[in-house]
Amino acid sequence: TLADLKGLKQGNLRLAVTTTAKYFVPRLLGPFRQRYPGIKIFLKVTNRRRLIDRLAENLDDLYILGQPPAHLDISLCPFLENPLVVIAPHNHPLAKEKNISLQRLGEEPFIMREAGSGTRMAVESFCAKNGVSLNVEMEIGSNEAIKQAIVGGLGVSVLSRYVLALEGINGPLRILDVEGFPIPLRWYILYPGSKQLSIVAQTFLEYLLDEGPRIADQA
Ligand code: PGA
């Protein structure tokens, strides 16, 4: 349409992303809004299970999550890699070691995400596949709270590498070099299979696929 040609797209964009994707999606929205100031954005951030519930109820235009559900009729675009890494405080005795064994990891107090988290699901299937049992001492339903708990010396965890996007690996946290890690996850962009995307959602999907890799590289 003429409005499209003039870059005057208008309307609402409803996005829902997992708590790992919140570390770069908001950053991507900046240049998008600059390009399309007429588009109003609603961003929901929650865990994988709640996102799948929202998808089943068709509450949002686009979803970003890992490990897409098999039981729903969905359209699916593979998006960026989302490696899961072992995170410890900077002064942890294992921080300087190379090739730490899984058995040694299992001896550390471990902080696990809540049930319904895709991160937890991936950690549990990794452990089952590799015959590791973790020493789960705490369960916390937030990546940020887990980071604070790690800094507080309560244990180590396995989280998306993107949770370190702002402070990097020279801040208070370190990535441990543990055998078998990182766990190679990836995000997908999803929407209900039967749904015809709005022009606005289609525009954002194309923008994500074009610009996502470059912006994620800076994270
Ligand atoms: P979650 O995120 O642990 O918040 O569910 C996992 C994912 O990115 O799919």
Side-chain angles (χ1 to χ4, degrees):
T1 68
L2 190 59
D4 283 351
L5 290 174
K6 286 183 172 168
L8 293 175
K9 287 183 193 176
Q10 304 276 345
N12 291 338
L13 174 63
R14 293 184 185 278
L15 304 174
V17 309
T18 46
T19 73
T20 60
K22 78 171 178 210
Y23 289 92
F24 79 94
V25 170
R27 192 180 307 207
L28 269 167
L29 296 177
F32 183 74
R33 274 275 295 177
Q34 251 164 18
R35 207 178 292 182
Y36 303 108
I39 296 179
K40 185 162 175 194
I41 300 165
F42 300 79
L43 174 64
K44 181 82 191 166
V45 178
T46 188
N47 72 21
R48 177 180 179 275
R49 185 189 291 161
R50 294 206 194 96
L51 227 63
I52 291 171
D53 290 346
R54 293 182 70 87
L55 178 71
E57 290 181 54
N58 191 16
L59 295 180
D60 312 278
D61 295 311
L62 294 171
Y63 299 82
I64 300 179
L65 63 137
Q67 309 167 87
H71 65 283
L72 290 174
D73 172 25
I74 44 178
S75 298
L76 191 78
C77 299
F79 193 40
L80 303 171
E81 290 177 13
N82 173 30
L84 300 189
V85 294
V86 183
I87 299 183
H90 72 94
N91 56 357
H92 194 283
L94 293 177
K96 291 198 180 75
E97 288 196 21
K98 293 262 170 271
N99 207 19
I100 299 157
S101 71
L102 287 173
Q103 193 195 350
R104 180 70 188 78
L105 177 66
E107 292 165 13
E108 289 296 309
F110 192 90
I111 310 167
M112 185 66 105
R113 282 282 306 275
E114 78 286 0
S117 151
T119 303
R120 174 180 175 140
M121 192 172 110
V123 170
E124 286 179 342
S125 70
F126 175 89
C127 287
K129 197 158 52 175
N130 292 284
V132 194
S133 61
L134 291 172
N135 172 20
V136 178
E137 294 228 330
M138 267 185 108
E139 198 175 299
I140 303 184
S142 144
N143 297 326
E144 283 306 306
I146 290 177
K147 284 165 65 182
Q148 293 292 333
I150 295 171
V151 174
L154 287 163
V156 302
S157 191
V158 172
L159 296 172
S160 167
R161 184 172 56 71
Y162 280 93
V163 307
L164 301 177
L166 283 184
E167 66 270 45
I169 50 165
N170 297 311
L173 299 170
R174 293 288 180 278
I175 295 175
L176 298 187
D177 180 15
V178 179
E179 62 172 315
F181 282 87
I183 302 176
L185 292 192
R186 148 180 305 284
W187 285 298
Y188 293 83
I189 307 167
L190 275 65
Y191 54 95
S194 55
K195 192 161 172 171
Q196 171 83 43
L197 287 182
S198 69
I199 300 281
V200 165
Q202 184 66 42
T203 303
F204 186 67
L205 176 59
E206 283 162 20
Y207 170 81
L208 269 181
L209 295 172
D210 284 352
E211 302 289 327
R214 193 173 53 80
I215 295 191
D217 263 358
Q218 300 161 4

